[in-house]
Amino acid sequence: MKKVLVLEDEANIRSFVVINLRRSGYEPIEADCGEMALEQLRRHPDIRVALLDVMLPDIDGFEVCRRIRASNAKIGIIMLTAKSQEMDKVTGLMTGADDYVTKPFSPAELTARIDALYRRMGGDVEMEDTGEIRQGPFRLNTRNRTLEKNGERVRLTQIEYSIMKYFMDNPGKALSREDILNEVWGRDYFGELKIVDVNIRRLRIKIEDDPTMPTYITTVWGFGYKWGF
Ligand code: CA
């Protein structure tokens, strides 16, 4: 199991993160203060990634980061910062964090960052081997080019598969219809942008809980679409 330390003192945010990490195949190890985080790391030396909240009741997240880095260069560290702590991003990266996620964040965004960190550290052999992208209830198998939702196969055309792959590679990011067209159909394709909309409509029928109220593929008015949760 891929262990991830979750240091967050706010219980509701922590459980939100924990639930979503479990869904994505990680084993979360929880801590509600800095001292406990350091203790958990001693207890679980196989933790590969740590999520550190900045504002904590005892020592702040940057100090925790500094102390972890003092003895462990290999672990991946992602700081959880509030929007108002814009400067903290810089401080966090200076103290040895690898990445930061701004609150409020979507589960898809967070797991994508953790996945990316795992890959960058070369530690994610399991994921590379199986060729899988897991986000929320979805599991995309990039080897067989198949999609599952809650363990059930969703039958996709090759184009629909390519759109899903593009979305899942870019969670939480607004993608223009032109971007999607270029990525999926290729730059020399001479079709209309409408083809993107048509395929998205069909994809929604297949993957959304309620296609009339899409929650996974949302419309960014006058621009394109966004994948998220
Ligand atoms: Ca906090």
Side-chain angles (χ1 to χ4, degrees), residues 70-211:
S71 60
N72 189 337
K74 274 191 165 170
I75 193 168
I77 298 178
I78 301 175
M79 304 301 299
L80 306 177
T81 67
K83 264 213 167 68
S84 56
Q85 299 164 329
E86 208 64 20
M87 277 307 293
D88 291 354
K89 290 172 186 171
V90 183
T91 319
L93 296 174
M94 294 290 285
T95 55
D98 298 291
D99 203 354
Y100 55 83
V101 175
T102 309
K103 294 178 187 176
F105 47 80
S106 72
E109 189 186 351
L110 186 65
T111 32
R113 299 295 189 84
I114 298 171
D115 292 346
L117 201 48
Y118 255 96
R119 273 198 297 273
R120 247 184 338 203
M121 294 188 307
D124 200 3
V125 178
E126 195 186 332
M127 191 165 290
E128 297 291 0
D129 275 353
T130 57
E132 267 189 359
I133 306 176
R134 282 190 251 178
Q135 286 170 14
F138 298 98
R139 182 194 291 223
L140 193 76
N141 184 313
T142 56
R143 192 158 294 174
N144 308 334
R145 298 171 68 87
T146 55
L147 178 74
E148 280 179 16
K149 182 184 178 188
N150 295 319
E152 291 208 41
R153 175 72 66 85
V154 180
R155 299 208 168 277
L156 298 182
T157 66
Q158 290 300 312
I159 288 288
E160 288 163 355
Y161 168 83
S162 301
I163 296 173
M164 279 302 292
K165 170 81 166 55
Y166 190 40
F167 276 140
M168 291 177 83
D169 283 338
N170 295 281
K173 188 176 163 192
L175 302 170
S176 72
R177 296 149 87 219
E178 286 86 346
D179 287 338
I180 298 170
L181 193 72
N182 287 337
E183 173 72 22
V184 174
W185 281 267
R187 285 189 182 271
D188 11 70
Y189 177 78
F190 274 87
E192 284 185 55
L193 284 173
K194 232 186 175 67
I195 192 161
V196 175
D197 302 314
V198 172
N199 273 275
I200 298 278
R201 203 179 308 149
R202 222 171 37 216
L203 199 47
R204 277 173 168 163
I205 292 168
K206 295 184 180 186
I207 66 154
E208 292 284 352
D209 301 338
D210 176 3

Side-chain angles (χ1 to χ4, degrees), residues 8-10 53-56 103:
E8 168 65 76
D9 57 319
E10 281 163 77
D53 183 33
V54 174
M55 300 282 281
L56 296 163
K103 294 178 187 176

Side-chain angles (χ1 to χ4, degrees), residues 7 34 37-38 52 56 59-68:
L7 168 59
L38 297 169
L52 309 179
L56 296 163
I59 28 180
D60 77 42
F62 297 132
E63 182 54 27
V64 176
C65 179
R66 234 176 259 125
R67 290 196 201 172
I68 294 172

